[in-house]
């Protein structure tokens, strides 16, 4: 019998109830509030500040910034801009560029941290550290800084969704959800009566605003490696029309140079990595805390061999190799034709399928085999940045994850019985072994991002197949009858033959090649 070991919730009752008293429109102000819209609840005493209450722009004394403000709407008269400030370098440079362009800026720090129960993971609270940097950046140019408490909104609209998706065996993208539902969702609602012209952030993307009666356009950043249009691809036209991304017209290295030129207090700070709300917490620890652990089995997809046990299918995603707890093998020998040297190669096992109902993970050594191609998938839950599906869906490119890589693709609607177009079939130009249900597929026409949808579980006949024997074993109620896992061969010791002393190095060189 499998036992589900649930752990205590991440947020303690005391802490959570305290945060519940903070409504979504509650702010901590580091300058004179511009209206009675603000309150000064929790943590105000920790960060008292005597910033100037003036919101009029003060021109920077830094060297000429004119070449770098082209994505900051410099041609428009002084705009009232709400700038999302995280304490990192990117958003700080974005603020300085908007200020240099002559706009009236107010900075906002979004407090979404909720890991009080993980306090042993660091020596000081991470959001306090971020806030100190944000305050220092604002102090330099006397821009007011407000703190917006969106912890409850973040939990409800992002974290709870992620937990439920993992319970169902899917792999959502927290950053896409955070942008859509929090940064440009709940925050946008919170400041709706403050009459800001635009909202800005340090994202690497470019928004083109043609005119009042024409839809705004999301375009790729100049820095294709850092480009974040994938994370912004699920926004609505209403959201996009109100956004400015000052960093969309420059590469990352230039942003770093500007941070040095501006002498920002965080100019040496490293870029944040990982999921935005976790900080230093390992994602596996987060999942274990909220979903728990439930022992299951790992089966070889091709033959049904019982290889080992796992902590719960929700800890694994399609294409995962590390963290399976299996030896790195089996190893096999190959005698090189030219040199006559015997080489030892390791075939790692990858997660290829998950049986959510029976808590079984299927793995294979043939994940990258030609006959296991993965280039066809179905997509639903579309959001089109123009507000409606494009008339022409030809000449499309697709991204299935954040990064510079694109696939050329074809797109075909599946017509429902009622004539609806809710699901589409996408054919990529090449194989992608990392496709996972719950992730987003973003679509592009040239440099323009047109929208995105959510990848479904359903695959066509080209998907990875699990043999009938493995499927039958997965359905067994009493899996203790399987006995012990099969023994996986591990790498044999290096022979003491002096003629093979360079064997290991040659192995490494060939694998790397």
């Amino acid at each position: 019998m499998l036992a589900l070991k649930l752990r205590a919730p991440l947020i303690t009752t005391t802490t959570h109830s305290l945060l519940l008293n903070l409504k979504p429109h509650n702010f901590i102000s580091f300058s004179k509030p511009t209206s009675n819209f603000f309150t000064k609840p929790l943590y105000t005493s920790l960060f008292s500040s005597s910033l100037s209450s003036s919101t009029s722009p003060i021109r920077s004394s830094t060297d000429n910034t004119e070449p770098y403000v082209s994505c900051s709407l410099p041609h428009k008269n002084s705009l009232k801009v709400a700038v999302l400030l995280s304490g990192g370098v990117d958003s700080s440079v974005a603020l300085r560029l908007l200020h240099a362009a002559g706009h009236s800026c107010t900075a906002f720090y979004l407090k979404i941290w909720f890991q009080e129960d993980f306090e042993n993971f660091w020596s000081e609270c991470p959001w306090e550290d971020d806030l100190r940097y944000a305050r220092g950046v604002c102090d330099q140019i006397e821009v007011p800084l407000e703190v917006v408490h969106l912890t409850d909104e973040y939990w409800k609209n992002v974290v709870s969704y992620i937990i439920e998706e993992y319970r169902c065996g899917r792999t959502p993208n927290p950053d896409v959800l955070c942008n859509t539902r929090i940064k440009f969702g709940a925050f946008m609602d919170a400041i709706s009566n403050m009459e800001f012209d635009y909202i800005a952030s340090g994202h690497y993307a470019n928004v083109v605003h043609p005119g009042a009666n024409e839809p705004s356009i999301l375009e790729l950043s100049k820095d294709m490696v850092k480009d974040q249009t994938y994370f912004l691809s699920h926004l609505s036209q209403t959201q996009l029309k109100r956004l400015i991304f000052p960093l969309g017209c420059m590469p990352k290295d230039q942003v770093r140079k500007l941070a040095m030129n501006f002498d920002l207090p965080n100019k040496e700070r490293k870029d944040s990595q990982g999921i935005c709300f976790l900080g230093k917490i390992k994602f596996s620890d987060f999942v274990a805390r909220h979903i728990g652990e439930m022992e299951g089995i790992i089966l070889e997809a091709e033959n049904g061999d019982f290889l080992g046990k796992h902590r719960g299918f929700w800890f694994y995603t399609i294409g995962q190799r590390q963290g399976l707890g299996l030896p790195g093998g089996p190893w096999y020998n190959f005698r090189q034709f030219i040199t006559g040297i015997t080489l030892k190669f390791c075939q790692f096992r990858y997660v290829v399928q998950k049986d959510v109902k029976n808590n079984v993970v299927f793995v294979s050594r043939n994940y990258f085999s030609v006959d296991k191609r993965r280039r066809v998938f179905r997509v639903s839950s579309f959001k089109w940045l123009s507000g409606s599906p494009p008339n022409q869906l030809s000449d499309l490119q697709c991204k299935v994850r954040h990064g510079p890589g694109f696939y050329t693709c074809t797109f075909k609607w599946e017509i429902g019985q009622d004539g609806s177009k809710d699901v589409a079939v996408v054919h990529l130009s090449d194989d992608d072994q990392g496709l996972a249900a719950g992730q987003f597929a973003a679509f592009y026409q040239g440099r323009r991002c047109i929208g995105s949808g959510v990848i479904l579980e359903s695959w066509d006949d080209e998907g990875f197949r699990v043999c009938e024997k493995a499927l039958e074993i997965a359905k067994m109620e009493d899996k203790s009858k399987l006995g012990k896992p099969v023994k996986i061969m591990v790498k044999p010791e290096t022979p003491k033959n002096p003629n093979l002393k360079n064997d290991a190095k040659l192995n490494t060189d060939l694998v790397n090649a």
Side-chain angles (χ1 to χ4, degrees):
M1 193 67 142
L2 298 177
L4 179 64
K5 298 183 289 184
L6 291 174
R7 299 188 182 184
L10 188 63
I11 300 179
T12 63
T13 305
T14 303
T15 302
H16 191 47
S17 62
L18 187 61
L19 290 173
L20 284 175
N21 292 326
L22 298 174
K23 302 303 181 184
H25 308 311
N26 278 10
F27 296 79
I28 302 174
S29 178
F30 292 127
S31 65
K32 182 179 178 180
T34 54
S35 72
N36 58 9
F37 188 79
F38 300 91
T39 61
K40 287 192 177 183
L42 190 61
Y43 308 124
T44 306
S45 61
L46 293 177
F47 300 104
S48 60
S49 178
S50 58
L51 289 178
S52 168
S53 62
S54 171
T55 58
S56 59
I58 301 175
R59 291 288 180 178
S60 173
S61 60
T62 311
D63 292 340
N64 183 25
T65 57
E66 187 175 348
Y68 311 112
V69 298
S70 57
C71 281
S72 301
L73 303 183
H75 57 284
K76 295 197 174 185
N77 294 329
S78 180
L79 298 170
K80 188 178 179 183
V81 183
V83 185
L84 289 171
L85 198 61
S86 67
V89 172
D90 292 338
S91 60
S92 300
V93 172
L95 172 63
R96 290 298 297 265
L97 290 174
L98 288 163
H99 187 264
H103 302 313
S104 175
C105 300
T106 300
F108 293 87
Y109 177 85
L110 304 187
K111 184 182 182 298
I112 58 175
W113 292 94
F114 59 89
Q115 312 96 317
E116 282 81 358
D117 200 34
F118 274 110
E119 59 186 7
N120 59 312
F121 277 76
W122 40 65
S123 58
E124 61 179 6
C125 184
W127 71 264
E128 292 180 6
D129 195 34
D130 291 339
L131 196 49
R132 273 192 290 271
Y133 279 114
R135 184 179 57 181
V137 170
C138 291
D139 279 342
Q140 287 183 323
I141 51 174
E142 297 186 353
V143 165
L145 172 64
E146 316 289 351
V147 176
V148 188
H149 290 262
L150 294 176
T151 303
D152 295 336
E153 287 71 21
Y154 198 83
W155 177 265
K156 177 182 177 181
N157 296 312
V158 177
V159 182
S160 295
Y161 176 85
I162 291 169
I163 292 171
E164 189 57 36
E165 286 290 281
Y166 269 91
R167 281 199 180 107
C168 296
R170 294 184 288 270
T171 309
N173 190 298
D175 295 295
V176 175
L177 297 171
C178 182
N179 287 326
T180 306
R181 301 182 178 187
I182 302 300
K183 291 179 180 177
F184 309 124
F187 171 68
M188 196 172 278
D189 293 339
I191 63 169
S192 59
N193 66 344
M194 299 181 67
E195 299 180 351
F196 283 103
D197 298 303
Y198 289 97
I199 296 172
S201 70
H203 282 90
Y204 286 84
N206 188 25
V207 182
V208 179
H209 300 289
N213 299 321
E214 299 180 56
S216 296
I217 299 168
L218 179 64
E219 291 186 343
L220 293 167
S221 165
K222 184 174 182 179
D223 192 323
M224 292 296 292
V225 174
K226 294 293 293 183
D227 178 75
Q228 293 175 302
T229 53
Y230 176 81
F231 296 135
L232 301 163
S233 62
H234 217 56
L235 296 174
S236 67
Q237 177 63 202
T238 302
Q239 291 170 314
L240 192 64
K241 265 193 171 302
R242 298 193 60 194
L243 301 182
I244 308 175
F245 300 129
L247 306 188
C249 302
M250 68 185 72
K252 174 68 178 186
D253 59 351
Q254 184 60 55
V255 173
R256 281 285 177 184
K257 290 177 182 177
L258 286 173
M260 299 297 290
N261 291 342
F262 289 135
D263 194 26
L264 297 178
N266 55 4
K267 59 188 177 185
E268 303 284 357
R269 200 177 191 195
K270 294 181 180 179
D271 293 340
S272 61
Q273 301 291 332
I275 299 174
C276 54
F277 65 89
L278 290 182
K280 299 179 182 179
I281 299 173
K282 292 181 180 179
F283 188 69
S284 58
D285 293 333
F286 169 79
V287 172
R289 179 62 60 92
H290 287 284
I291 303 180
E293 298 181 5
M294 184 167 67
E295 188 177 88
I297 61 172
I298 301 174
L299 298 178
E300 191 93 65
E302 287 84 357
N303 54 30
D305 281 352
F306 171 37
L307 301 180
K309 297 180 179 180
H310 62 77
R311 301 162 58 194
F313 68 83
W314 44 85
F315 286 98
Y316 309 95
T317 189
I318 302 300
Q320 181 174 335
R321 175 173 65 84
Q322 297 179 337
L324 295 174
L326 301 176
W331 293 78
Y332 64 92
N333 295 335
F334 173 76
R335 189 171 182 82
Q336 192 179 40
F337 178 74
I338 298 176
T339 65
I341 296 176
T342 300
L343 306 175
K344 301 175 182 66
F345 289 91
C346 172
Q347 287 183 314
F348 293 103
R349 287 174 168 85
Y350 295 80
V351 175
V352 295
Q353 280 288 11
K354 295 185 289 186
D355 184 335
V356 174
K357 181 179 179 181
N358 297 296
N359 190 29
V360 175
V361 173
F362 300 100
V363 299
S364 174
R365 293 167 292 167
N366 302 310
Y367 190 61
F368 292 98
S369 299
V370 175
D371 63 333
K372 307 297 183 183
R373 59 184 57 193
R374 282 174 170 264
R375 63 172 66 183
V376 182
F377 56 95
R378 299 166 71 237
V379 183
S380 69
S381 303
F382 288 95
K383 276 279 192 73
W384 302 106
L385 288 161
S386 65
S388 59
N391 295 326
Q392 295 292 331
L393 285 169
S394 57
D395 300 322
L396 286 182
Q397 294 83 43
C398 178
K399 277 189 179 188
V400 293
R401 65 185 58 82
H402 168 59
F406 287 88
Y407 293 106
T408 301
C409 70
T410 62
F411 184 102
K412 184 178 180 181
W413 288 110
E414 285 188 353
I415 309 300
Q417 293 182 349
D418 58 353
S420 61
K421 295 181 178 179
D422 299 323
V423 178
V425 178
V426 178
H427 291 248
L428 301 180
S429 57
D430 204 351
D431 300 330
D432 189 292
Q433 304 301 113
L435 295 170
Q439 290 281 11
F440 288 83
F443 299 97
Y444 297 78
Q445 289 179 325
R447 296 189 59 83
R448 178 180 177 180
C449 179
I450 61 174
S452 65
V454 180
I455 298 174
L456 299 177
E457 294 92 339
S458 303
W459 301 86
D460 70 351
D461 291 339
E462 294 185 81
F464 204 104
R465 292 185 179 182
V466 178
C467 73
E468 288 298 325
K469 179 182 176 181
L471 293 174
E472 289 301 317
I473 293 175
K475 295 177 184 177
M476 290 176 55
E477 291 188 10
D478 185 5
K479 293 184 174 62
S480 64
K481 295 180 180 179
L482 293 174
K484 294 183 178 180
V486 299
K487 187 175 182 180
I488 300 177
M489 295 175 59
V490 296
K491 181 182 178 181
E493 292 184 5
T494 304
K496 295 183 179 180
N497 187 336
N499 294 326
L500 300 178
K501 63 182 179 180
N502 293 323
D503 222 333
K505 183 179 185 303
L506 187 55
N507 261 359
T508 303
D509 292 343
L510 285 172
V511 170
N512 289 338

